[in-house]
Each structure stands twice: as structure tokens, then as C-alpha cells.
Amino acid sequence: MSTYTAPLKDMRFVLNELAGLSEVAKLPGYEEATPETVDAILEEAGRFASEVLDPLNRSGDEEGSKWADGEVRTPKGFREAYRKFAEGGWNALPFEPDWGGQGLPKLVATPVDEMWTSANMSFSLCPLLTQGAVHALALRGAGELQQTYIPKMVAGEWTGTMNLTEPQAGSDLALVKTRAVREGDHYRISGQKIFITYGEHDLTRQIVHLVLARTPEAPEGTKGISLFVVPKYLVKPDGSLGERNGARCASLEHKLGIHASPTAVMIFDQAVGYLVGEENRGLETMFIMMNAARFGVGLEGVAIAERAFQRALAFSKERLQGRDLAGGRTVPIIRHPDVRRMLMLMKSQTEAMRALAYVVAAALDFANRAPEEGVKKRSQAFVDLMIPIVKGWSTETGIEIASLGVQVHGGMGFVEETGAAQYLRDARITTIYEGTTGIQAMDLVGRKIAREGGATAKAWLEELRGFDAELARSENPDVQSLRGSLAAGVRAFADCVQFIVSEKGPHAALAGAVPFLKLAGIVAGGWQMARAALAAEKNLSGDRSFYQAKIATARFYGEHVLVQAGGLRDTVVKGGAGVMALSEEQFLAA
């Protein structure tokens, strides 16, 4: 069974050639993100992922987290791994120095987060949730709340959760029923939450729950939701932990995958909670966490794809099966054309998704730190457009790639001993986390395109059309082949944007929203693969084998992935009527 190895060469290529690390390092506060520092971080993170987290992935999946009498025990080795993780400063990497963090750019934290997830997705979910909780508290929490909770969470001594979902309220948060009654300087929180990742565990003693609830006077719907900090243990004035709060785990869910990650049913019984921000504005704050989490979940799609590819590649080199078409002897299956096709689909799409995610991470850094307001505004608009694409396209594609990994293994992929099946099982939750693909697609079509008349999408289209001139200057036939495929994809995307902004009724545009999101992802990935091909062409005098592979992979992406654009456009523009054609009764007709 193969072990995870961080793809450092490709990560560095994307950071430096596509995402512009050197420019991000010029932003105020990011001056320490020098090439030497970043290289050292990536090397150490890769070592930790391979040596500490990856060995626990299979055993953690087999053992799972266990619940008994309200307490949760994580699999053997997880507590020690988390202790090393926190002591190594890895939890503090993306946070501000004022809170004890290392203050590094999102662009630097992104490949590190990818490594954690590739090596052990179940483990990586705990720090991911903590990051979101810290971000929300840092932006909206009162000073005393921040001082009490953020430093301990940044240090990894305490962890954080998001408590949104209830049995009757999944994505429709207007149906939230958890109650919050004011009592002096705090509130009493009562209700039930489900699907709470790391809602209870033994990695740290304290768990800081961020909980959506309603006060008795709150208006109906989403306008009446507030956000509260509800700690597992009350915190004394000196910062030490006091008595147990009324927040308890009633059970753990039995899941398809991520078995080592405890997914809790939480009961809040007159639990002490503290308001974050203002009453009835909790959903705004929760979406601060949500958008960060959506990017993080999109990155999970990249990470799972990378791990599935590595395992499939290793197996294809070892598995002897079938005859060599040229010589007649038994050969490793990597010699067979269809296995090569599957491996290239895995490799090319993983590289495209990684490049897009890192470029969006760099845009987040510019949106947060650029001195010029115009740059900030343009960067944020680009981020807002791309977040549902990174989340929706990368996770859907991650599942496809994990499934291809099983296929490369043949019958051995369907049994658990090779490990290929685990990646498919683990990947399946990513298209559901933080809003399903349909919700991401509706966000893209409705909020990000239709609401503003397609302004940001059209600005991106202009950038893509301008980029075509750069491609035209290349004399490389592989680049020119990719140029033609990308141009066709851009036209398909433009046709869909025009259809969305001109459509009068919502049904047609929303019926094609998911195919449109896939089209947007394919085109955005093609854009990055074309940029990668140009960068590789300029560097052929260096690591020639690596850069030649980059160009060949980019061409493959154009010929096997970008070619789907025309069909997706037709589905978006013409397929709405078919979606709404049947009545509810007709679905059941024989």
C-alpha cells in the first residue's frame, strides 16, 4: 500500500508561477513569506503529513471514533498526533500574530491544509472547523470574548465547531428552533443540533461551540437568528476551566466515510452562551465561517483527488496484468492505454483544481491586505465569483477522481485492503458539506451572476479573451491545441452568462445551474492549465522532464476535459424545460 507524499514540486510551481507568491509577499504584514521560509514550511508540513498523519489514516478508518456515556474516544494515535500538531505550531499558521498566530498568507496556508487532508481527511476536519470559529470571533466577537477564547484556539489548546443543522433545519436555516433566553450577561441555550463535526472528542478538554439560535422576541425566518459561543466547560475569570456546561453529545452518526471524525448529535440544555455580534444578525457572522469553510471543503476535493491519484499510480506500476501490445509479455497495467487515460484524467484535473484553488487563495490575500481599495474590491469580487466554483466543481471532480482510482485497481479497488475505496467513501461528503452542489450552483447563478447582471463574470471573460493573445504567441503545437479548446470553452461560458442575465423566470436558469457550475469549473481549470503550459514552455531549459509533462498534461486536459464545454452549454441553455417536464405524480408513473 502506497504512502502519501506531498506533491511539493507541483505545489511550488503553482505558488510561484501561477498564484504569484512573490507579489503576495509584498502585501503589508506578509513580508516574512520569503521563498526560503515558504520552502521550509512546505518541507516540514510534507514530512508531518507523511510520517504522522498518513499512518493513522487507514487505522483510524477501521477503528473509528467511539461514543459511550456522552464521551467520545478518537482512534488510537489521534490524541498524540494532535498534540504534536499543536506543539509544532501548525494550528497557528494562518492566524494573526496578535492572537499568537504566525500571520502567514492564505496562499501559504492553502498547500499546507491540502497536505493535512490528503494524508488524513478525518484528522484535518478538526483544525478546519477551529479556523472558521476563530475567524468569526475575530471579526464579530466582543473584546472580552476574543481575549478569552481566541488565543487558546489559535494555540490548539481548545478546538471549535459550527452548530447549524437541526433535524428539521438542514440548509434552510430559517427553520432553526434552538432557543436563547437572556440571563444577565449571558443567555441560556436549549435545543438539538445534528451533524456537528468534532462536536465531542478527546483531543482537547475544551470545545468551543458556535451555535445558531433564536431569542424569544426574534422575528421569523433567517432575520431572527443569532450566534452564540457555548463552551463545553465554563471559563473562570483567570482563564482556567470551570464546571461542565449544559452542552452534551447524545450520540455519534454512523457514516459512509470519515469514520475517525466524530459527527455528533448535540443537546443543549440551558447551556450558558455568549452573544457573538448583535442579536438577529447571527447568519451574517455564520456566513463568515461558511465562506471560509466552503473554500476549505473545495480544497478537500483537491486533496482527496491527489491522494487517490497517488495510490492508483503506485498500484498501476506494480500490478502485472495483460500482455504488452508490442511484445506479448505480461506488463504492469500502466502500460495499457485505457489505464493511462484514467491516470491522465486524474492527474490533469487534480492539477487544474489545485491551480485554481491557489489562485483564489492569493486573491483572498489581496482582498484582505492590498493597500489600494480598487485592488481590494476587484480581488474580493473575483473571490466571491470563484468560491462556489472551487467548492462545487472541485468536490464533484474529487469524487469522480476517487472513483477512477477504484477503477484503476479493478476488483482490488472494491475491497478495502488496497485503501482505494476509503478515498471514495471519504470524498462523498464533500459535495454535501457547507451547502450541496445545487446550493453552490444557485449561489453562483443567482447571487454572483444574475443579481449583478453578470458584471464580475464578464470582467473575468475579458481577462480570458485577453489571455488568448498570450497563447497565440506560442509556437508550441500542444499550446495551440489547448488554446483552441479553451477558446471554445470561453465562448460556451459567455453564452451561458448571457442566457442567465437575460432569463426572465428563475426555473430555466436554476434548472441548468449545476451543469453551468461544472462548465465554469472546467473553463477556470483550463485557464490555469493554459497558464501552466506557458510558464512551463518558458522554463524548459530547467527541469525539462517536469515542464514537458506540464505541457503534455495541459494538452490532455484540453482534449479530454475542456471538450465537454459545448455539451454543458447546450444543457444550460436548452435543458431547463426537460427538468421541469414531469409532475410529481408522473415521477411515480409506471
Side-chain angles (χ1 to χ4, degrees), residues 236-317:
K236 297 178 182 179
D238 64 358
S240 63
L241 297 185
E243 64 184 83
R244 181 74 185 261
N245 202 2
R248 297 187 181 276
C249 174
S251 64
L252 293 183
E253 305 291 357
H254 300 279
K255 301 167 296 186
L256 175 68
I258 53 168
H259 294 151
S261 169
T263 303
V265 175
M266 296 297 300
I267 303 295
F268 297 91
D269 182 12
Q270 294 291 306
V272 173
Y274 303 93
L275 183 66
V276 179
E278 302 174 29
E279 279 192 16
N280 304 328
R281 298 187 65 180
L283 202 60
E284 297 174 32
T285 308
M286 185 58 77
F287 268 104
I288 294 170
M289 299 170 66
M290 185 74 76
N291 276 329
R294 284 176 173 174
F295 178 86
V297 174
L299 193 64
E300 289 173 2
V302 181
I304 288 290
E306 172 65 37
R307 189 64 188 97
F309 168 65
Q310 287 191 18
R311 177 145 290 171
L313 179 62
F315 182 84
S316 72
K317 292 178 178 179

Coordinates of all heavy atoms in Angstrom, one line a residue, residues 236-317:
K236 N -13.4 30.3 33.8 CA -13.2 31.2 35.0 C -12.6 32.5 34.6 O -11.9 32.6 33.6 CB -12.4 30.5 36.1 CG -13.0 29.2 36.6 CD -12.1 28.5 37.7 CE -12.7 27.2 38.2 NZ -11.8 26.6 39.2
P237 N -12.7 33.5 35.5 CA -12.1 34.8 35.2 C -10.6 34.7 34.9 O -10.0 35.5 34.2 CB -12.4 35.6 36.5 CG -13.6 35.0 37.0 CD -13.5 33.6 36.7
D238 N -9.9 33.8 35.6 CA -8.4 33.7 35.3 C -8.1 32.9 34.1 O -6.9 32.6 33.8 CB -7.8 33.0 36.5 CG -8.2 31.6 36.8 OD1 -9.1 31.1 36.0 OD2 -7.7 31.0 37.7
G239 N -9.1 32.4 33.3 CA -8.9 31.7 32.1 C -8.9 30.2 32.2 O -8.8 29.5 31.2
S240 N -8.9 29.7 33.4 CA -8.9 28.2 33.6 C -10.4 27.7 33.4 O -11.3 28.5 33.4 CB -8.4 27.9 35.0 OG -9.3 28.4 36.0
L241 N -10.5 26.4 33.3 CA -11.8 25.8 33.1 C -12.5 25.5 34.4 O -11.9 25.0 35.3 CB -11.6 24.5 32.3 CG -11.0 24.7 30.9 CD1 -11.0 23.3 30.1 CD2 -11.7 25.7 30.1
G242 N -13.8 25.8 34.3 CA -14.6 25.6 35.5 C -15.6 24.4 35.3 O -15.2 23.4 34.8
E243 N -16.8 24.6 35.7 CA -17.8 23.5 35.7 C -18.2 23.2 34.3 O -18.1 24.0 33.4 CB -19.0 23.8 36.6 CG -19.8 25.0 36.1 CD -20.9 25.3 37.1 OE1 -20.7 26.0 38.1 OE2 -22.0 24.8 36.8
R244 N -18.7 21.9 34.1 CA -19.2 21.5 32.8 C -20.5 22.3 32.4 O -21.4 22.4 33.3 CB -19.5 20.0 32.8 CG -20.0 19.4 31.6 CD -18.9 19.2 30.5 NE -19.4 18.7 29.3 CZ -19.4 17.5 28.9 NH1 -18.8 16.6 29.7 NH2 -19.8 17.1 27.7
N245 N -20.6 22.7 31.2 CA -21.7 23.5 30.7 C -22.8 22.5 30.2 O -22.5 21.3 30.1 CB -21.3 24.4 29.5 CG -22.3 25.5 29.3 OD1 -23.3 25.7 30.0 ND2 -22.0 26.3 28.3
G246 N -24.0 23.0 30.0 CA -25.1 22.1 29.5 C -25.1 21.8 28.1 O -26.1 21.9 27.4
A247 N -23.9 21.4 27.5 CA -23.8 21.0 26.1 C -23.2 19.6 26.1 O -22.1 19.4 26.5 CB -22.9 22.0 25.4
R248 N -24.0 18.7 25.6 CA -23.6 17.3 25.7 C -23.8 16.6 24.3 O -24.7 16.9 23.6 CB -24.3 16.6 26.8 CG -23.9 17.1 28.2 CD -24.5 16.3 29.3 NE -24.2 16.9 30.6 CZ -23.0 16.7 31.2 NH1 -22.1 15.9 30.7 NH2 -22.8 17.3 32.4
C249 N -23.0 15.6 24.1 CA -23.1 14.7 22.9 C -24.1 13.6 23.2 O -23.8 12.8 24.2 CB -21.8 14.2 22.5 SG -21.8 13.0 21.1
A250 N -25.2 13.5 22.5 CA -26.1 12.4 22.7 C -25.8 11.1 22.0 O -26.1 10.0 22.4 CB -27.5 12.8 22.3
S251 N -25.1 11.2 20.8 CA -24.7 10.1 20.0 C -23.8 10.5 18.9 O -23.6 11.7 18.7 CB -25.9 9.4 19.5 OG -26.6 10.2 18.5
L252 N -23.2 9.6 18.2 CA -22.4 9.8 17.0 C -23.1 9.2 15.8 O -23.7 8.1 16.0 CB -21.0 9.2 17.1 CG -20.0 9.9 18.1 CD1 -18.7 9.2 18.0 CD2 -19.9 11.4 18.0
E253 N -23.0 9.8 14.7 CA -23.6 9.3 13.5 C -22.8 8.1 12.9 O -21.5 8.1 13.1 CB -23.7 10.4 12.4 CG -24.5 11.6 12.8 CD -26.0 11.4 13.0 OE1 -26.4 10.2 12.8 OE2 -26.7 12.3 13.5
H254 N -23.4 7.1 12.3 CA -22.7 6.0 11.6 C -22.7 6.4 10.2 O -23.7 6.4 9.5 CB -23.4 4.7 11.9 CG -23.5 4.4 13.4 ND1 -22.4 3.8 14.0 CD2 -24.5 4.6 14.3 CE1 -22.8 3.6 15.3 NE2 -24.0 4.1 15.5
K255 N -21.5 6.6 9.6 CA -21.4 7.3 8.3 C -20.7 6.4 7.3 O -20.1 5.4 7.6 CB -20.5 8.5 8.5 CG -21.1 9.5 9.5 CD -20.1 10.6 9.8 CE -18.9 10.0 10.5 NZ -17.9 11.0 11.0
L256 N -20.9 6.8 6.0 CA -20.3 6.1 4.9 C -18.8 6.2 4.9 O -18.1 5.2 4.6 CB -20.8 6.8 3.6 CG -20.2 6.3 2.3 CD1 -20.6 4.9 2.0 CD2 -20.6 7.2 1.1
G257 N -18.3 7.4 5.3 CA -16.8 7.6 5.3 C -16.4 8.4 6.5 O -17.2 8.6 7.5
I258 N -15.2 9.0 6.4 CA -14.6 9.8 7.5 C -14.9 9.2 8.9 O -15.4 9.9 9.8 CB -14.9 11.3 7.4 CG1 -16.4 11.6 7.3 CG2 -14.2 11.9 6.3 CD1 -16.8 13.1 7.5
H259 N -14.7 7.9 9.1 CA -15.1 7.2 10.3 C -14.3 7.7 11.5 O -14.9 7.7 12.6 CB -14.8 5.7 10.1 CG -15.7 5.1 9.1 ND1 -15.3 4.0 8.4 CD2 -16.9 5.4 8.7 CE1 -16.3 3.6 7.6 NE2 -17.3 4.5 7.7
A260 N -13.1 8.2 11.3 CA -12.3 8.7 12.5 C -12.8 10.0 13.0 O -12.5 10.4 14.1 CB -10.9 8.7 12.2
S261 N -13.5 10.8 12.2 CA -14.0 12.1 12.5 C -15.4 11.9 13.2 O -16.3 11.5 12.6 CB -14.2 13.0 11.3 OG -14.9 14.2 11.6
P262 N -15.5 12.3 14.5 CA -16.8 12.2 15.2 C -17.8 13.2 14.8 O -17.6 14.4 14.9 CB -16.4 12.3 16.7 CG -15.1 13.2 16.7 CD -14.4 12.8 15.4
T263 N -18.9 12.7 14.3 CA -20.0 13.6 13.8 C -21.1 13.5 14.9 O -21.8 12.4 14.9 CB -20.5 13.2 12.4 OG1 -19.4 13.3 11.5 CG2 -21.6 14.1 12.0
A264 N -21.3 14.5 15.7 CA -22.1 14.4 16.9 C -23.5 14.9 16.8 O -23.8 15.9 16.0 CB -21.4 15.1 18.0
V265 N -24.4 14.3 17.5 CA -25.7 14.9 17.8 C -25.5 15.6 19.2 O -25.2 15.0 20.2 CB -26.8 13.8 18.0 CG1 -28.1 14.4 18.4 CG2 -27.0 13.1 16.6
M266 N -25.7 16.9 19.2 CA -25.5 17.7 20.4 C -26.8 18.2 21.0 O -27.7 18.6 20.3 CB -24.7 19.0 20.0 CG -23.3 18.7 19.5 SD -22.2 17.8 20.7 CE -22.2 19.1 22.1
I267 N -26.9 18.0 22.3 CA -28.1 18.5 23.1 C -27.6 19.7 24.0 O -26.6 19.6 24.7 CB -28.6 17.4 24.0 CG1 -29.0 16.2 23.1 CG2 -29.8 17.9 24.8 CD1 -30.1 16.5 22.2
F268 N -28.3 20.8 23.8 CA -28.0 22.0 24.6 C -29.2 22.1 25.6 O -30.3 22.4 25.2 CB -27.8 23.2 23.8 CG -26.7 23.2 22.8 CD1 -26.8 22.6 21.5 CD2 -25.4 23.5 23.2 CE1 -25.7 22.5 20.7 CE2 -24.3 23.4 22.4 CZ -24.5 22.9 21.1
D269 N -28.9 22.0 26.9 CA -29.9 22.0 27.9 C -29.6 23.2 28.9 O -28.8 23.0 29.8 CB -30.0 20.7 28.6 CG -31.1 20.6 29.7 OD1 -31.9 21.5 29.7 OD2 -31.0 19.7 30.5
Q270 N -30.2 24.3 28.7 CA -30.0 25.5 29.5 C -28.5 25.8 29.6 O -28.0 26.2 30.6 CB -30.6 25.3 30.9 CG -32.1 25.2 30.9 CD -32.8 26.5 30.6 OE1 -32.5 27.5 31.2 NE2 -33.6 26.5 29.6
A271 N -27.8 25.6 28.4 CA -26.4 25.8 28.4 C -26.1 27.3 28.4 O -26.8 28.1 27.8 CB -25.7 25.2 27.2
V272 N -25.0 27.7 29.1 CA -24.6 29.2 29.1 C -24.0 29.5 27.8 O -23.1 28.8 27.3 CB -23.7 29.4 30.3 CG1 -23.1 30.8 30.2 CG2 -24.3 29.2 31.6
G273 N -24.5 30.6 27.2 CA -23.9 31.0 25.9 C -23.7 32.5 25.9 O -24.4 33.2 26.6
Y274 N -22.8 33.0 25.0 CA -22.5 34.4 24.9 C -22.7 34.9 23.5 O -22.2 34.2 22.6 CB -21.0 34.6 25.4 CG -20.8 34.1 26.8 CD1 -20.3 32.8 26.9 CD2 -21.0 34.9 27.9 CE1 -20.0 32.3 28.2 CE2 -20.8 34.4 29.2 CZ -20.3 33.1 29.3 OH -20.1 32.6 30.6
L275 N -23.4 36.0 23.4 CA -23.7 36.5 22.1 C -22.5 36.9 21.3 O -21.6 37.6 21.8 CB -24.7 37.7 22.2 CG -25.2 38.3 20.9 CD1 -26.1 37.4 20.2 CD2 -25.9 39.7 21.3
V276 N -22.4 36.5 20.0 CA -21.4 37.0 19.1 C -22.0 38.0 18.2 O -22.9 37.7 17.4 CB -20.8 35.8 18.3 CG1 -19.7 36.3 17.3 CG2 -20.2 34.7 19.2
G277 N -21.5 39.2 18.2 CA -22.1 40.3 17.4 C -23.4 40.8 18.0 O -23.5 40.9 19.2
E278 N -24.4 41.1 17.1 CA -25.6 41.6 17.5 C -26.7 40.5 17.4 O -26.6 39.6 16.6 CB -26.1 42.8 16.7 CG -25.1 43.9 16.6 CD -25.5 45.0 15.6 OE1 -26.7 45.1 15.4 OE2 -24.6 45.7 15.1
E279 N -27.8 40.7 18.3 CA -28.9 39.8 18.2 C -29.5 39.9 16.8 O -29.5 41.0 16.2 CB -30.0 40.2 19.2 CG -29.7 39.6 20.6 CD -30.9 39.7 21.5 OE1 -32.0 40.0 21.0 OE2 -30.7 39.6 22.7
N280 N -30.0 38.8 16.3 CA -30.7 38.7 15.0 C -29.8 38.9 13.8 O -30.3 39.0 12.6 CB -31.9 39.7 14.9 CG -32.9 39.5 16.0 OD1 -33.1 38.4 16.5 ND2 -33.5 40.6 16.5
R281 N -28.5 39.0 14.0 CA -27.6 39.1 12.9 C -26.6 37.9 12.9 O -25.5 38.1 12.3 CB -26.8 40.4 12.9 CG -27.8 41.6 12.8 CD -27.0 42.9 12.7 NE -26.2 43.0 11.5 CZ -25.5 44.1 11.2 NH1 -25.4 45.1 12.0 NH2 -24.8 44.1 10.1
G282 N -27.0 36.8 13.4 CA -26.1 35.7 13.5 C -25.8 35.0 12.2 O -24.7 34.5 12.0
L283 N -26.7 35.1 11.3 CA -26.5 34.4 10.0 C -25.4 35.1 9.2 O -24.6 34.5 8.5 CB -27.8 34.4 9.2 CG -27.9 33.4 8.1 CD1 -27.7 32.0 8.7 CD2 -29.1 33.5 7.3
E284 N -25.3 36.5 9.3 CA -24.2 37.2 8.7 C -22.8 36.7 9.2 O -21.9 36.5 8.4 CB -24.3 38.7 9.0 CG -25.6 39.3 8.4 CD -25.7 40.8 8.9 OE1 -24.6 41.4 9.0 OE2 -26.8 41.3 9.0
T285 N -22.7 36.5 10.5 CA -21.5 36.1 11.1 C -21.2 34.6 10.7 O -20.1 34.2 10.4 CB -21.5 36.2 12.6 OG1 -21.9 37.6 12.9 CG2 -20.2 35.9 13.2
M286 N -22.3 33.8 10.7 CA -22.1 32.4 10.4 C -21.6 32.3 8.9 O -20.8 31.4 8.6 CB -23.4 31.6 10.5 CG -23.3 30.2 10.3 SD -22.1 29.3 11.4 CE -23.0 29.2 12.9
F287 N -22.0 33.2 8.1 CA -21.5 33.1 6.7 C -20.1 33.5 6.5 O -19.4 33.1 5.6 CB -22.4 33.9 5.8 CG -23.5 33.1 5.2 CD1 -24.8 33.2 5.6 CD2 -23.3 32.1 4.2 CE1 -25.8 32.4 5.1 CE2 -24.3 31.4 3.6 CZ -25.6 31.5 4.1
I288 N -19.5 34.2 7.5 CA -18.1 34.4 7.5 C -17.4 33.1 7.7 O -16.4 32.8 6.9 CB -17.7 35.3 8.7 CG1 -18.3 36.8 8.5 CG2 -16.2 35.4 8.9 CD1 -18.2 37.6 9.8
M289 N -17.9 32.3 8.6 CA -17.3 30.9 8.8 C -17.6 30.1 7.5 O -16.8 29.3 7.1 CB -17.9 30.3 10.0 CG -17.6 31.0 11.3 SD -18.6 30.3 12.7 CE -17.9 28.7 12.8
M290 N -18.8 30.2 7.0 CA -19.3 29.4 5.9 C -18.4 29.6 4.7 O -18.0 28.6 4.0 CB -20.7 29.7 5.6 CG -21.4 28.8 4.6 SD -21.7 27.1 5.2 CE -23.1 27.5 6.2
N291 N -18.1 30.8 4.3 CA -17.4 31.1 3.1 C -15.9 30.5 3.2 O -15.4 30.0 2.3 CB -17.4 32.5 2.7 CG -18.6 32.9 2.0 OD1 -19.2 32.2 1.2 ND2 -19.0 34.2 2.1
A292 N -15.4 30.7 4.4 CA -14.0 30.1 4.7 C -14.1 28.6 4.6 O -13.2 28.0 4.0 CB -13.5 30.6 6.0
A293 N -15.2 28.1 5.2 CA -15.3 26.6 5.1 C -15.5 26.1 3.7 O -15.1 25.0 3.4 CB -16.4 26.2 6.1
R294 N -16.3 26.8 2.9 CA -16.5 26.4 1.5 C -15.3 26.3 0.7 O -15.0 25.4 0.0 CB -17.6 27.3 0.9 CG -19.0 27.1 1.3 CD -20.0 28.0 0.8 NE -21.3 27.6 1.1 CZ -22.5 28.3 0.9 NH1 -22.4 29.5 0.3 NH2 -23.6 27.8 1.3
F295 N -14.4 27.3 0.9 CA -13.1 27.2 0.3 C -12.3 26.0 0.8 O -11.7 25.2 0.0 CB -12.2 28.5 0.5 CG -10.9 28.4 -0.1 CD1 -10.7 28.8 -1.4 CD2 -9.8 28.0 0.6 CE1 -9.4 28.7 -2.0 CE2 -8.5 27.9 0.1 CZ -8.3 28.3 -1.2
G296 N -12.3 25.8 2.1 CA -11.6 24.6 2.7 C -12.2 23.3 2.2 O -11.4 22.4 2.0
V297 N -13.5 23.2 2.1 CA -14.1 22.0 1.6 C -13.7 21.8 0.1 O -13.4 20.6 -0.3 CB -15.6 21.9 1.8 CG1 -16.2 20.7 1.1 CG2 -15.9 22.0 3.3
G298 N -13.7 22.8 -0.7 CA -13.2 22.7 -2.1 C -11.8 22.2 -2.1 O -11.5 21.3 -3.0
L299 N -11.0 22.6 -1.2 CA -9.6 22.1 -1.2 C -9.6 20.7 -0.8 O -8.7 19.9 -1.2 CB -8.8 23.0 -0.2 CG -7.3 22.8 -0.2 CD1 -6.7 23.3 -1.5 CD2 -6.7 23.6 1.0
E300 N -10.6 20.2 0.0 CA -10.7 18.8 0.3 C -10.8 18.0 -1.0 O -10.3 16.9 -1.1 CB -11.8 18.5 1.3 CG -11.6 19.0 2.7 CD -12.8 18.9 3.5 OE1 -13.9 18.4 3.0 OE2 -12.8 19.3 4.7
G301 N -11.6 18.5 -1.9 CA -11.8 17.8 -3.2 C -10.4 17.6 -3.9 O -10.1 16.6 -4.5
V302 N -9.6 18.7 -3.9 CA -8.3 18.6 -4.5 C -7.4 17.6 -3.8 O -6.7 16.8 -4.4 CB -7.6 20.0 -4.4 CG1 -6.2 20.0 -5.0 CG2 -8.4 21.1 -5.1
A303 N -7.5 17.6 -2.4 CA -6.6 16.8 -1.6 C -6.9 15.3 -1.8 O -6.1 14.4 -1.9 CB -6.7 17.2 -0.2
I304 N -8.2 15.0 -1.8 CA -8.7 13.6 -1.9 C -8.3 13.1 -3.3 O -7.9 12.0 -3.5 CB -10.2 13.5 -1.7 CG1 -10.5 13.6 -0.2 CG2 -10.7 12.1 -2.2 CD1 -10.0 12.5 0.7
A305 N -8.5 14.0 -4.3 CA -8.1 13.6 -5.7 C -6.6 13.3 -5.8 O -6.2 12.3 -6.4 CB -8.4 14.8 -6.7
E306 N -5.8 14.1 -5.2 CA -4.3 13.9 -5.2 C -4.0 12.5 -4.5 O -3.2 11.8 -5.1 CB -3.6 15.0 -4.4 CG -2.1 14.8 -4.2 CD -1.3 14.7 -5.5 OE1 -1.6 15.5 -6.5 OE2 -0.3 14.0 -5.6
R307 N -4.6 12.3 -3.4 CA -4.3 11.0 -2.7 C -4.8 9.8 -3.5 O -4.1 8.8 -3.6 CB -4.9 11.0 -1.3 CG -4.4 9.9 -0.4 CD -3.0 10.0 -0.2 NE -2.4 8.8 0.5 CZ -1.8 7.8 -0.1 NH1 -1.7 7.8 -1.4 NH2 -1.3 6.8 0.5
A308 N -6.0 9.9 -4.1 CA -6.5 8.8 -4.9 C -5.6 8.6 -6.1 O -5.3 7.4 -6.5 CB -7.9 9.1 -5.3
F309 N -5.1 9.7 -6.7 CA -4.2 9.5 -7.9 C -2.9 8.9 -7.5 O -2.4 8.0 -8.2 CB -3.9 10.9 -8.5 CG -2.8 10.9 -9.5 CD1 -2.9 10.2 -10.7 CD2 -1.6 11.6 -9.2 CE1 -1.9 10.2 -11.6 CE2 -0.6 11.6 -10.1 CZ -0.7 10.9 -11.3
Q310 N -2.3 9.3 -6.3 CA -1.0 8.7 -5.9 C -1.2 7.2 -5.7 O -0.3 6.4 -6.1 CB -0.5 9.4 -4.6 CG 0.0 10.8 -4.8 CD 0.7 11.3 -3.6 OE1 1.1 10.5 -2.7 NE2 0.9 12.6 -3.5
R311 N -2.3 6.8 -5.1 CA -2.5 5.4 -4.8 C -2.7 4.6 -6.1 O -2.1 3.5 -6.3 CB -3.6 5.1 -3.9 CG -4.0 3.7 -3.6 CD -4.4 3.4 -2.2 NE -3.3 3.6 -1.2 CZ -3.5 3.7 0.1 NH1 -4.7 3.5 0.6 NH2 -2.5 3.8 0.9
A312 N -3.5 5.1 -7.0 CA -3.8 4.5 -8.3 C -2.5 4.4 -9.1 O -2.2 3.3 -9.8 CB -4.8 5.2 -9.1
L313 N -1.7 5.4 -9.1 CA -0.4 5.4 -9.9 C 0.5 4.3 -9.3 O 1.1 3.6 -10.1 CB 0.2 6.8 -9.8 CG 1.6 6.9 -10.6 CD1 1.4 6.7 -12.0 CD2 2.2 8.3 -10.3
A314 N 0.6 4.3 -8.0 CA 1.5 3.3 -7.4 C 1.1 1.9 -7.8 O 1.9 1.0 -8.1 CB 1.6 3.5 -5.9
F315 N -0.2 1.6 -7.7 CA -0.8 0.3 -8.0 C -0.6 -0.1 -9.4 O -0.2 -1.2 -9.8 CB -2.3 0.3 -7.6 CG -2.9 -1.1 -7.9 CD1 -2.9 -2.1 -6.9 CD2 -3.6 -1.3 -9.1 CE1 -3.5 -3.3 -7.1 CE2 -4.2 -2.5 -9.3 CZ -4.2 -3.5 -8.3
S316 N -0.8 0.9 -10.3 CA -0.6 0.6 -11.8 C 0.8 0.3 -12.2 O 1.0 -0.4 -13.2 CB -1.1 1.9 -12.6 OG -0.1 2.9 -12.5
K317 N 1.8 0.7 -11.4 CA 3.2 0.3 -11.7 C 3.5 -1.0 -11.2 O 4.5 -1.7 -11.6 CB 4.1 1.4 -11.1 CG 4.0 2.8 -11.7 CD 5.0 3.7 -11.0 CE 4.9 5.1 -11.6 NZ 5.8 6.0 -10.9

